[in-house]
Every structure is written in C-alpha cells, then in structure tokens.
C-alpha cells in the first residue's frame, strides 16, 4: 500500500516539474529569486498500527524560505521552492472507555483530571517542492499549488502526561495499546511527501505575502517495524497552516510581466 502511494505522489511531483523542462519556444523564461521567512501552526498525529485513538496535537513551524521562478508555461508560473523549518509535531492520545467517556483514576472522585498523554517531537524539516501559480506575479493576487519531497532530522522530544502505568482507574480504557507511551523515537530520520496550495499577494517594492495550507504524509516510521517489533507502522501526518513573506533578490527585466 505504501509503495503504491509513493508511486502516486512521485507521479504528482513529476507532473509538476514537466512545465519546467518543456521547450523554450513554448515557455516564457524568468530568473526571479526571492527569499524570506515563514511561520505557522501544525496539527499532527501519528498513524499507528495497531491503532492508537488520537486527537490532533497542536504545534508550530517556523523557518527560512527561498523561491526560484524559472518560467511561465502558458498561464502557469513555474517555480522551485525550498525551505528549512523547525517544526514541532507528534501525537495526542484520546483516552476513553468503551462508552466513549474519559477515563479517570479511581481516587479522582470529582473527576477533575482525565487520563491524558501527548508526545511532542521536534524536527528540522527540509521540503523541496515544484510550484505552479496562476495569476499576477508582480502586483496582485496569485493562486498556487506545490508538491514535493520532504526530509526531517530529529532534534528532540518531550512528553506531557498524567498516566501512571498500573495505577487503578475508575473505568477501563477501551484501547490497551500503550507501548508507544514508553518508547523513545527510534528512527531519527524522517521522509515523506508535502503538498499544498494557497494564495499570494504581491506588492511592488514591498514583497510577497503568502497564506498556505499544506499536508505532509510521512513515508518513514518513528519506531522500528520489523516482524519482531510491536508497531507495524508509525508515520507522521501533519496539517500545516502558515504565512510566508518573501522579498525579491533577483528580478527579470521584462515589462510584460504583470
């Protein structure tokens, strides 16, 4: 299943790059370079097999961005985008009983502190994406879509929980999958596919203001997944909402570019 998904996502990347390699008689070339920074929020979980009930964990992302615009192919503005981001993701467990009620300790008679567990994992993420835009390049609005591979380098992790293994509870948790709570991240290198889209506002002599929604699907696992290991899959899934500001370093001198 994962290999089929990887082939599909790689096909999307190749389709996005095709206009950048088309014949020069069709494309209108540019050599525009812009750099800047971005920041936003991350909603993340981990795809465990066996399954672990979860809600989305809120985190953040911030870093540097660079964009090289190389061509306008018919109505599509073709660019390559690279980023270096510090991103905090992970997972947040939704601990409930068979009746979908929160689980409490037996001595918590007022039911003030339901069982909770969340693990935050910080990565240095480096996406490299092909970008297609439609609209204004220098002044006005442009919609865009971008897709490409992303790697992640593990920086650290932290845990926030009130779960004490073996301590008596008033009601029993429905899911007995708890091995993830005591395992540290075993695979320090992450990789996957990022894809998203958004809107860009360009203002002459000021810069480019970008609002984007993005999804990252991890193809690697945070825990080992051999036949002797507990988890068969433990990959990241992240929804990213971010704002980016870019300013031009190199601009093509062409009065036809609007």
């Amino acid at each position: 299943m994962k290999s089929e998904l990887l082939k599909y996502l790689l096909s999307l990347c190749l389709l996005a790059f095709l206009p950048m390699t088309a014949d020069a008689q069709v494309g209108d070339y540019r050599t525009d370079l812009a750099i800047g920074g971005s920041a936003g929020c991350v909603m993340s979980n981990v795809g465990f097999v066996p399954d672990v009930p979860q809600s989305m964990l809120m985190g953040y992302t911030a870093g540097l961005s660079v964009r090289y615009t190389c061509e306008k192919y018919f109505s599509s503005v073709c660019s390559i985008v690279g980023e270096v981001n510090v991103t905090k993701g992970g997972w947040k467990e939704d601990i409930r009983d068979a009746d979908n009620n929160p689980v409490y300790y037996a001595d918590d008679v007022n039911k003030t502190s339901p069982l909770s567990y969340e693990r935050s994992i910080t990565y240095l993420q480096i996406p490299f994406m092909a970008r297609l835009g439609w609209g204004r390049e220098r002044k006005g609005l442009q919609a865009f879509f971008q897709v490409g591979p992303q790697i992640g380098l593990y920086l650290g992790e932290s845990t926030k929980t009130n779960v004490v293994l073996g301590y008596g509870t008033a009601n029993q948790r429905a899911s007995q999958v708890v091995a993830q709570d005591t395992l540290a991240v075993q695979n320090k290198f992450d990789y996957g596919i990022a894809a998203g889209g958004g809107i860009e506002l360009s203002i002459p002599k000021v810069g480019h203001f970008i609002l984007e929604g993005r999804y990252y699907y991890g193809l690697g696992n945070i825990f080992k997944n051999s036949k002797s290991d507990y988890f068969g899959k433990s990959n990241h899934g992240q929804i990213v909402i971010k704002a980016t500001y870019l300013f031009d370093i190199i601009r093509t001198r062409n009065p036809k570019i609007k």
Side-chain angles (χ1 to χ4, degrees):
M1 179 66 181
K2 182 179 287 189
S3 61
E4 293 178 357
L5 178 62
L6 177 59
K7 290 178 182 178
Y8 175 74
L9 293 172
L10 288 177
S11 297
L12 285 178
C13 295
L14 290 174
L15 287 173
F17 273 109
L18 277 177
M20 302 179 189
T21 59
D23 189 88
Q25 293 179 349
V26 176
D28 184 9
Y29 278 94
R30 285 118 166 81
T31 54
D32 292 355
L33 180 66
I35 64 172
S38 65
C41 65
V42 178
M43 295 170 282
S44 62
N45 62 11
V46 173
F48 289 110
V49 175
D51 181 59
V52 175
Q54 299 170 61
S55 56
M56 302 300 284
L57 175 68
M58 297 298 297
Y60 65 82
T61 183
L64 302 176
S65 303
V66 60
R67 182 177 73 197
Y68 177 71
T69 304
C70 55
E71 184 180 12
K72 184 172 185 180
Y73 181 78
F74 292 109
S75 61
S76 301
V77 180
C78 308
S79 307
I80 297 172
V81 176
E83 297 177 353
V84 178
N85 301 312
V86 174
T87 301
K88 178 175 283 189
W91 77 90
K92 180 179 181 180
E93 297 181 20
D94 188 18
I95 303 175
R96 295 182 177 271
D97 63 16
D99 296 321
N100 202 35
N101 297 312
V103 177
Y104 297 91
Y105 286 115
D107 58 3
D108 185 6
V109 293
N110 295 321
K111 295 185 176 182
T112 57
S113 300
L115 268 64
S116 63
Y117 184 97
E118 60 183 61
R119 178 87 63 90
S120 296
I121 309 173
T122 305
Y123 286 91
L124 184 69
Q125 291 184 335
I126 306 173
F128 183 74
M129 295 174 288
R131 182 185 193 271
L132 297 178
W134 301 273
R136 296 279 184 152
E137 298 177 66
R138 300 284 170 82
K139 183 180 180 180
L141 293 174
Q142 180 183 121
F144 67 89
F145 171 79
Q146 55 192 22
V147 60
Q150 175 176 296
I151 63 172
L153 306 176
Y154 171 89
L155 297 179
E157 60 188 296
S158 62
T159 299
K160 181 180 179 182
T161 182
N162 63 356
V163 174
V164 180
L165 296 179
Y167 201 84
T169 57
N171 48 339
Q172 187 175 13
R173 61 191 296 172
S175 173
Q176 296 302 307
V177 180
V178 296
Q180 71 283 353
D181 293 353
T182 55
L183 284 175
V185 172
Q186 296 168 325
N187 298 319
K188 310 297 186 182
F189 179 77
D190 186 49
Y191 63 96
I193 296 291
I199 197 79
E200 174 179 339
L201 173 64
S202 297
I203 302 176
K205 298 181 180 181
V206 176
H208 309 272
F209 299 89
I210 303 167
L211 183 63
E212 177 193 359
R214 184 184 301 178
Y215 182 74
Y216 170 68
Y217 182 83
L219 298 173
N221 296 297
I222 62 173
F223 300 138
K224 294 178 180 179
N225 64 330
S226 67
K227 291 183 178 179
S228 62
D229 293 306
Y230 187 85
F231 290 103
K233 184 169 79 76
S234 54
N235 66 306
H236 286 290
Q238 296 177 342
I239 298 172
V240 181
I241 306 295
K242 62 188 300 185
T244 303
Y245 169 72
L246 299 175
F247 58 92
D248 295 314
I249 299 298
I250 301 174
R251 293 208 322 171
T252 303
R253 294 185 178 180
N254 185 344
K256 295 181 180 180
I257 300 176
K258 304 298 184 181

